[in-house]
């Protein structure tokens, strides 16, 4: 038996060896040991256990061929070990020749905690690695696994093999309410079971479904997100998601096809989404007329075949612009075209159900900007009962005056439309703001308000001007019956 123990390999690891020593009463660096009886404490036969597995080590670190059953007291004289800062006399110690003297032993520094920026060493990770290795083949209860994940310990869900175990873990995560753990459980279930089983089990767990939908949204997995919303019966959310994806496409042709596909798949046959279906269909129709108009205008601007583009160059493309901007664009560049043309403003008004007020507002602004006063007046002229023409504005003539005031308009045209403002106070306010003094005087006369006319004449009108004499003549007119 002794010879077999002698054949054992010895690992030269001093630190592991001394950490695993089995005798007590050895030298402790934190103790104040008297050197005179040091060898008595350490090498006394009473302090050595009766253990034949303790190897024998000589002072020169060599091993004897045959191991002994206990430590042997060395035949060399014991060395003198001096604690740093202590000098002892010859009578208290056994002297060692100068050639064999050992350096003084100092107290080692106390172990310190690693700094925040210090790299992780073997000693920092040894215990967690050991725990991970031990738990690798141990099946941990689901709730304990959830708690371990919440606390940030290493984990693996591969130990849960059956569907019941996977669902038990997911249910435990839902009970404890940690979102990251719930998401991990859902994704693990998704990766390890059939899609039909996954859908069936997740749909029956609303909390898990909500976390899964949020995960898909954050990872831009819109295909699976739309499918899951449709399966849950949330058709409106699925349709809006698909529509939002289609609108974000940059290429106009591809965008049109994507919106058409969304309309056909999610909106067209869904009764509850018929209003939204109509709006999306109008969007498709708008894109379908914007593309050819933009193509033709870009070519005409480039080769100079459309004269208006030379005087008024285009600022931006018409594609992806709102309906009201598209209408203004066509009223500016393509006004007067027949209804068979895609750029016809009349056809656009009918196709998209644009109201009279919206159409008139866009058309008047476009024609006023171009100073096309004939078109401007034609838009406001209607036929009366007996075929006579008269001026009519669905938006009010005060709005017409505001449009004219923002462009360089001849004064006679401005005065003409100011007189058509029905409300006298609105007419006074606009005429005063635009300094149309003749309209102000006439309005005060129609109101028979002598006091306000005299005040306006004294404070606003300059002496010896045409407007001043016009106001004075009205004040002197004996045929006017003033209220005050």
């Amino acid at each position: 038996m002794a010879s077999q123990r002698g054949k054992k390999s010895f690992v030269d690891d001093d630190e592991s060896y001394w950490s695993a020593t089995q005798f007590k009463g050895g030298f402790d660096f934190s103790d104040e040991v008297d050197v005179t009886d040091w060898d008595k404490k350490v090498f006394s036969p009473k302090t050595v256990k009766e253990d034949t597995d303790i190897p024998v080590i000589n002072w020169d670190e060599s091993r004897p061929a045959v191991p002994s059953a206990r430590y042997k007291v060395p035949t060399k004289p014991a060395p003198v070990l001096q604690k740093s800062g202590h000098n002892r006399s010859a009578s208290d110690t056994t002297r060692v020749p100068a050639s064999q003297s050992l350096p003084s032993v100092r107290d080692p520094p106390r172990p310190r905690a690693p700094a925040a920026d210090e790299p992780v060493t073997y000693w920092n990770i040894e215990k967690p690695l050991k725990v991970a290795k031990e738990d690798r083949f141990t099946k941990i209860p689901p709730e304990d696994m959830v708690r371990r994940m919440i606390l940030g310990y290493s984990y693996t869900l591969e130990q849960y093999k059956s569907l019941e175990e996977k669902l038990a873990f997911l249910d435990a995560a839902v009970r404890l309410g940690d979102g990251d753990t719930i998401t991990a459980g859902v994704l693990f279930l998704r990766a390890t079971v059939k899609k039909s089983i996954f859908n069936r089990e997740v749909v029956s767990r609303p909390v898990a479904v909500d976390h899964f939908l949020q995960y898909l949204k954050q990872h831009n997995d819109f295909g699976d997100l739309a499918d899951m919303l449709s399966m849950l019966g949330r058709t409106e959310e699925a349709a809006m998601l698909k529509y939002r994806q289609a609108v974000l496409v940059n290429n106009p042709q591809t965008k049109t096809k994507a919106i058409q596909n969304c309309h056909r798949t999610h909106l067209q046959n869904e009764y509850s989404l018929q209003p939204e279906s109509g709006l999306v269909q109008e969007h498709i129709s708008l894109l379908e007329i914007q593309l050819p108009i933009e193509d033709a205008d870009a070519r005409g601007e480039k080769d100079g075949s459309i004269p208006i583009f030379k005087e008024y160059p285009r600022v931006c493309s018409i594609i992806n612009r709102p309906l009201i901007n598209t209408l203004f664009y066509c009223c500016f560049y393509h006004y007067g075209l027949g209804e068979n043309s895609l750029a016809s403003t009349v056809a656009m008004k009918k196709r998209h159900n644009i109201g009279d007020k919206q159409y008139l507002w866009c058309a008047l602004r476009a024609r006023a900007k171009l100073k096309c006063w004939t078109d401007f007046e034609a838009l406001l002229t209607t036929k009366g009962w007996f075929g006579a023409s008269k001026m009519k504005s669905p938006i009010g003539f005060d709005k017409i005056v505001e449009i004219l005031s923002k462009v360089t308009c001849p004064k006679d045209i401005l005065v003409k439309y100011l007189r058509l403002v029905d409300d006298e106070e609105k007419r006074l306010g606009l005429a005063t703001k635009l300094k149309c003094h003749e309209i102000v005087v006439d309005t005060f006369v129609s109101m028979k308000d002598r006091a306000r006319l005299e005040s306006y004449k004294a404070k606003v009108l300059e002496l010896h001007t045409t407007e001043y004499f016009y106001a004075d003549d009205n004040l002197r007119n004996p045929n006017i019956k003033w209220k005050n």
Side-chain angles (χ1 to χ4, degrees), residues 424-432 440 443-444 447 452:
E424 292 177 333
E425 291 297 336
K426 285 184 178 180
R427 190 193 316 151
L428 276 174
L430 288 170
T432 304
V440 175
T443 304
F444 282 138
M447 296 171 68
R452 292 175 68 181

Side-chain angles (χ1 to χ4, degrees), residues 4 58 100 109 193 201-202 213 225-226 264 278 285 290 314 325 334 337 353 364-365 370 387 411 443 453 459:
Q4 291 179 0
N58 293 330
Q100 301 179 9
V193 301
E201 297 298 339
V202 171
L213 294 177
L225 179 58
R264 183 172 55 255
S285 177
Q290 284 178 341
R314 300 192 310 155
N325 295 79
H334 302 292
L337 292 179
N353 299 316
L364 289 173
R365 286 173 57 239
L370 289 170
K411 191 170 183 179
T443 304
L453 178 56
K459 295 179 180 179

Side-chain angles (χ1 to χ4, degrees), residues 4 15 38 105 131 143 163 175 182 210 254 289 352 362 383 404 422 444 449 472:
Q4 291 179 0
E15 187 170 0
W38 178 77
V105 178
V131 172
E143 290 199 357
L163 177 61
R175 282 195 301 274
I182 295 172
D210 289 340
T254 308
I289 66 171
H352 294 280
C362 283
K383 296 289 185 180
L404 293 172
D422 294 331
F444 282 138
D449 195 337
D472 189 63

Side-chain angles (χ1 to χ4, degrees), residues 134-186:
E134 291 175 353
D135 293 342
R136 183 171 54 181
F137 302 107
T138 304
K139 185 167 291 188
I140 303 173
E143 290 199 357
D144 292 345
M145 179 65 79
V146 172
R147 292 189 181 93
R148 175 173 296 195
M149 294 170 67
I150 294 174
L151 294 174
Y153 293 138
S154 59
Y155 69 92
T156 177
L157 301 181
E158 298 297 331
Q159 59 182 265
Y160 302 123
K161 303 296 183 181
S162 67
L163 177 61
E164 290 74 16
E165 293 174 340
K166 296 169 185 177
L167 294 177
F169 171 79
L170 180 57
D171 292 336
V174 171
R175 282 195 301 274
L176 294 178
D178 182 68
D180 292 339
T181 310
I182 295 172
T183 304
V186 172

Side-chain angles (χ1 to χ4, degrees), residues 258-276:
I259 297 176
Q260 289 173 340
N261 181 58
C262 171
H263 179 263
R264 183 172 55 255
T265 306
H266 295 278
L267 296 166
Q268 190 173 12
N269 299 321
E270 189 65 39
Y271 178 77
S272 62
L273 297 177
Q274 288 307 304
E276 290 80 2

